[in-house]
Amino acid sequence: MLNIPATGSCQCGAVTYTLSAEPLFTYACHCHTCQKRTGSACAVALVVALDTLAIEGELTAWSRVSDKGETNTRYNCAACGNTVHGVGEANPALTKLQSGTLDDPRAVEPEVHMWTRSRQAWLKLPDDIPQYTTQPDDPLQLLQAAMDYRASRDGA
Ligand SMILES: [Zn+2]
Ligand SMILES: [Zn+2]
């Protein structure tokens, strides 16, 4: 469990933050863009309300337009380049906090996986976790799937 408030930082420490409320949910994205962006197998992020994330330190912004035509902006440490969070045009009150930047990243685990069609073959996922081969058109579906998974995990 993630203890709130939760703290985190970039790898050089110039950017630090405090998250003051529980995330809505946590997801893993296996799309190739996230693989490029992270230089890794997938991205794991916490969806949080932007106004619950207090950040100190200088960030740079970089935006790209998604396949759906929406602008997604990533905020990176100005010194080390580490991505800290990212806001999508479709949901400007929310941001995707990169789980590896938490001081205790082991406190969270994905509740839904998306873009599994480009998942690395060696990365095995539990059978009972919600998975999407791409991503649902309605982001609320992701939230609902994560909520259902959380309820079954905690209630079983
Ligand atoms: Zn940094
Ligand atoms: Zn992705």
Side-chain angles (χ1 to χ4, degrees):
M1 281 295 285
L2 188 63
N3 289 317
I4 300 294
T7 55
S9 72
C10 63
Q11 60 189 313
C12 83
V15 172
T16 59
Y17 63 79
T18 301
L19 177 67
S20 61
E22 292 280 345
L24 276 70
F25 67 101
T26 301
Y27 70 88
C29 184
H30 301 263
C31 82
H32 195 205
T33 298
C34 284
Q35 292 170 351
K36 288 271 190 190
R37 181 172 66 72
T38 61
S40 189
C42 64
V44 180
L46 293 67
V47 178
V48 305
L50 196 52
D51 63 5
T52 65
L53 184 63
I55 299 179
E56 288 190 45
E58 190 185 346
L59 295 166
T60 59
W62 186 79
S63 298
R64 70 179 281 274
V65 177
S66 75
D67 295 343
K68 289 165 70 179
E70 291 167 356
T71 299
N72 292 318
T73 303
R74 292 282 157 190
Y75 294 93
N76 310 307
C77 170
C80 73
N82 205 145
T83 299
V84 177
H85 72 112
V87 180
E89 177 184 17
N91 293 292
L94 302 177
T95 192
K96 291 159 280 190
L97 181 63
Q98 303 300 290
S99 74
T101 63
L102 287 165
D103 289 333
D104 183 14
R106 296 184 64 182
V108 294
E109 61 181 282
E111 295 163 315
V112 59
H113 289 258
M114 57 183 178
W115 288 95
T116 57
R117 75 178 187 192
S118 46
R119 172 179 60 82
Q120 300 290 296
W122 53 262
L123 182 59
K124 306 298 183 202
L125 302 180
D127 289 336
D128 62 340
I129 201 158
Q131 300 176 30
Y132 293 87
T133 52
T134 59
Q135 71 185 78
D137 286 335
D138 181 357
L140 282 176
Q141 274 188 43
L142 280 182
L143 174 63
Q144 189 61 55
M147 293 287 116
D148 291 348
Y149 172 72
R150 194 184 302 174
S152 68
R153 182 193 62 193
D154 296 345

